[in-house]
Amino acid sequence: MSETTLVAAVLVLGVGTFAFRYAGPALRDRVTLPPRVERLLGVSTVVLLAALVATATMLDGGEFDSVARPAGVVVGAVLAWRRAPFVVVVLAAAGTAAVLRLLGLP
């Protein structure tokens, strides 16, 4: 890929991102969505993020990674649900995965 193509791609993506970010506040008062659609949009956001977390947790390059990574995510999720401090959540999740890998779990 040439430098000109790269610069053009970055500029197009930058302008597109700005346009999307500007369109939200600019169109907020002009477009009204039914309450059912607004609820579905809120739910779809949660579903999309959950699917992203699930695939990032379970797969490494398209194949199942190991038991350690999902176990760490579960520990982190439980601690976050119990409102533990963020640093504690991250350290406990990473520690859980590290200990399970040291124990040789696949």
Side-chain angles (χ1 to χ4, degrees):
M1 182 182 301
S2 70
E3 278 187 39
T4 307
T5 306
L6 182 62
V7 169
V10 169
L11 288 175
V12 167
L13 287 173
V15 169
T17 300
F18 178 77
F20 272 113
R21 292 187 62 93
Y22 178 76
L27 297 176
R28 180 71 176 158
D29 296 332
R30 293 183 183 181
V31 176
T32 57
L33 297 174
R36 182 169 185 246
V37 172
E38 287 189 14
R39 280 194 314 272
L40 287 174
L41 287 174
V43 170
S44 67
T45 303
V46 173
V47 170
L48 182 63
L49 288 173
L52 180 64
V53 167
T55 56
T57 300
M58 304 295 259
L59 303 176
D60 184 25
E63 294 183 13
F64 181 72
D65 183 37
S66 68
V67 176
R69 192 185 296 178
V73 170
V74 168
V75 167
V78 168
L79 289 174
W81 175 61
R82 302 289 295 162
R83 302 203 184 266
F86 180 72
V87 173
V88 173
V89 171
V90 171
L91 291 176
T96 300
V99 166
L100 289 175
R101 286 190 175 151
L102 281 174
L103 293 175
L105 287 176

